[in-house]
Amino acid sequence: MKLDIYLADLFVLYQKLHVIHWNITGRQFKAFHAFTEDLYDEVHAKFDTVAEIYRMKEKFPPSKIKDYLDKSTLKETPANRAFGIDEATEIIIGDLEAMRELALEVRKEHEKDDDFVVVNEIEDHVADYDKHLWFMRATLAKENK
Ligand SMILES: [Fe+2]
């Protein structure tokens, strides 16, 4: 089920955003450090909500860290060095694009069964990813002078 992969990706993304939050360097450090904190809080809220949807359906969400690592499609971030803002932004854009794409697949899978709990939740996620992708792409864009 795609939702299992999506839950695993939210878990891994939550940790990846921490690595960037901790190891970011550069002139926009303060803003980027705060931004990644807001983002990992949001990703954690999504992770929790998706897991609770399993319980609403009287199922158990995948919960073992090993299972998340096995299922996740996101590549882990090197954790032993600093990141510049541009590199970190590119990593986050890649991950949010992957999350958006997977969210659309999850939506499609659950739409077939009229599973509106998942469909409605996931549609909000896609809107959030779009907003963050706009922010991140604008961060990378060269300034008009
Ligand atoms: Fe922090």
Side-chain angles (χ1 to χ4, degrees):
M1 200 168 69
K2 300 264 184 198
L3 197 62
D4 290 353
I5 301 169
Y6 188 67
L7 186 71
D9 279 352
L10 286 170
F11 181 87
V12 170
L13 181 59
Y14 174 73
Q15 179 60 18
K16 283 187 75 169
L17 289 168
H18 273 84
V19 174
I20 292 170
H21 171 79
W22 293 325
N23 298 345
I24 194 81
T25 56
R27 290 161 69 112
Q28 297 159 288
F29 170 83
K30 207 164 177 233
F32 210 85
H33 186 70
F35 167 71
T36 47
E37 182 167 333
D38 289 346
L39 198 53
Y40 68 60
D41 282 345
E42 185 187 302
V43 166
H44 187 263
K46 286 178 166 57
F47 169 72
D48 187 49
T49 302
V50 170
E52 286 174 2
I53 286 174
Y54 283 74
R55 297 301 294 134
M56 273 186 242
K57 298 173 186 300
E58 300 190 354
K59 291 179 181 156
F60 291 97
S63 306
K64 288 187 171 174
I65 292 172
K66 188 183 178 307
D67 293 341
Y68 294 147
L69 293 178
D70 287 346
K71 277 191 196 317
S72 176
T73 58
L74 301 181
K75 220 171 83 202
E76 282 216 81
T77 314
N80 55 354
R81 64 173 175 82
F83 293 90
I85 304 283
D86 282 3
E87 185 187 6
T89 304
E90 278 164 16
I91 291 170
I92 295 173
I93 286 176
D95 286 348
L96 292 184
E97 284 173 344
M99 295 305 287
R100 186 185 189 282
E101 205 167 300
L102 181 58
L104 291 175
E105 289 174 27
V106 170
R107 183 188 179 281
K108 206 171 271 176
E109 203 173 81
H110 289 261
E111 203 179 26
K112 284 187 297 208
D113 306 325
D114 288 342
D115 184 351
F116 293 117
V117 175
V118 171
V119 170
N120 290 341
E121 178 63 29
I122 287 292
E123 284 178 352
D124 289 345
H125 292 202
V126 173
D128 289 340
Y129 296 141
D130 282 345
K131 191 183 67 190
H132 295 310
L133 281 166
W134 164 50
F135 183 103
M136 298 270 80
R137 288 174 185 139
T139 301
L140 275 190
K142 295 280 166 265
E143 288 172 44
N144 278 326
K145 291 200 173 144

